[in-house]
Amino acid sequence: EAQVTQNPRYLITVTGKKLTVTCSQNMNHEYMSWYRQDPGLGLRQIYYSMNVEVTDKGDVPEGYKVSRKEKRNFPLILESPSPNQTSLYFCASSHSGGAREQYFGPGTRLTVT
Amino acid sequence: EDQVTQSPEALRLQEGESSSLNCSYTVSGLRGLFWYRQDPGKGPEFLFTLYSAGEEKEKERLKATLTKKESFLHITAPKPEDSATYLCAVQARRYGGSQGNLIFGKGTKLSVKP
């Protein structure tokens, strides 16, 4: 089944404790992206990757890191999480960075206390 | 500044009562406009991509249209299972090699009562 998977689905952590949210897709997509969704603010893009070893900032990259060492994986790293990073996070992928539809993962609900 | 505004924020319909959702956008060169459906606690599900003014796409009870300033998602004879939040997003043309990112509206929450 073609899909985007994220782990963990739920995470509660404390301020400053480094964490990684994994994202993997099995569709051989070149383009991958991370979003956060907050009430009243909608979906906002954090980082995206056009291909392996190619990443770029979205609208809200502060406090996040990403890497793209393999085509199928695009982990999101929070080196020192803060409470304002409490949010619902989605990973997405598409065939290319052009105007092609993006397929979203199931989401990771992160709470930072 | 690129911007997407969706209206209304919430819409309650009776089953069978057709209506339209609006997505107005300001973007420096449209690469594509996307419609997604999102159910509570789930990731957005792709519905349509529109590329140029005058384009229309249909899927079951949904029809998306595009003008130079806005897009409409028409829902004909909706059913309770159409209840969801509908998201609109645009991708702008960018120069210098980097692709434009997706800019989402805040969505319209649709409730269809039997």
Side-chain angles (χ1 to χ4, degrees):
Chain A
E1 180 190 355
Q3 61 182 350
V4 178
T5 56
Q6 296 179 226
N7 283 292
R9 295 288 315 280
Y10 303 91
L11 179 59
I12 301 174
T13 190
V14 296
T15 299
K17 185 176 180 182
K18 181 179 179 180
L19 66 92
T20 299
V21 183
T22 65
C23 172
S24 182
Q25 50 92 6
N26 63 0
M27 295 170 278
N28 201 35
H29 285 169
E30 292 180 351
Y31 182 95
M32 297 186 75
S33 181
W34 276 103
Y35 297 86
R36 61 178 289 173
Q37 188 173 37
D38 302 289
L41 295 176
L43 272 163
R44 294 176 293 167
Q45 194 167 39
I46 303 170
Y47 269 96
Y48 63 96
S49 170
M50 299 294 295
N51 212 326
V52 176
E53 302 294 356
V54 180
T55 63
D56 205 352
K57 296 177 181 179
D59 290 325
V60 288
E62 295 78 20
Y64 304 94
K65 285 179 60 176
V66 293
S67 69
R68 187 94 180 273
K69 293 183 169 52
E70 304 168 283
K71 196 171 188 178
R72 64 182 292 132
N73 296 322
F74 190 43
L76 179 70
I77 303 157
L78 284 72
E79 297 246 341
S80 183
S82 62
N84 64 12
Q85 293 178 297
T86 293
S87 186
L88 180 57
Y89 290 87
F90 290 102
C91 179
S93 72
S94 73
H95 282 288
S96 71
R100 299 288 301 270
E101 60 273 20
Q102 294 188 18
Y103 296 90
F104 283 77
T108 294
R109 186 167 293 281
L110 172 65
T111 302
V112 183
T113 62
Chain B
E1 181 185 345
D2 300 331
Q3 203 167 3
V4 177
T5 303
Q6 291 187 247
S7 63
E9 289 185 14
L11 181 61
R12 302 179 84 172
L13 300 174
Q14 287 296 126
E15 185 172 1
E17 180 187 2
S18 300
S19 188
S20 296
L21 313 182
N22 177 264
C23 171
S24 60
Y25 63 91
T26 305
V27 65
S28 53
L30 181 69
R31 194 180 185 99
L33 184 142
F34 305 83
W35 282 99
Y36 285 86
R37 167 192 172 127
Q38 187 175 23
D39 294 301
K42 295 191 174 182
E45 176 188 342
F46 170 75
L47 293 173
F48 303 108
T49 307
L50 301 167
Y51 295 103
S52 57
E55 190 174 0
E56 299 181 352
K57 289 199 176 166
E58 284 188 71
K59 180 181 179 179
E60 297 180 357
R61 296 177 292 282
L62 300 177
K63 179 180 177 180
T65 62
L66 181 64
T67 72
K68 288 186 178 179
K69 293 184 179 181
E70 57 192 350
S71 176
F72 292 93
L73 185 65
H74 307 277
I75 304 177
T76 302
K79 297 182 178 182
E81 53 261 42
D82 293 322
S83 297
T85 295
Y86 290 85
L87 302 172
C88 172
V90 299
Q91 188 179 49
R93 293 188 183 280
R94 296 285 161 82
Y95 301 97
S98 128
Q99 300 291 331
N101 59 2
L102 273 185
I103 302 162
F104 278 85
K106 295 179 182 178
T108 294
K109 185 174 182 180
L110 174 66
S111 299
V112 182
K113 302 299 182 186

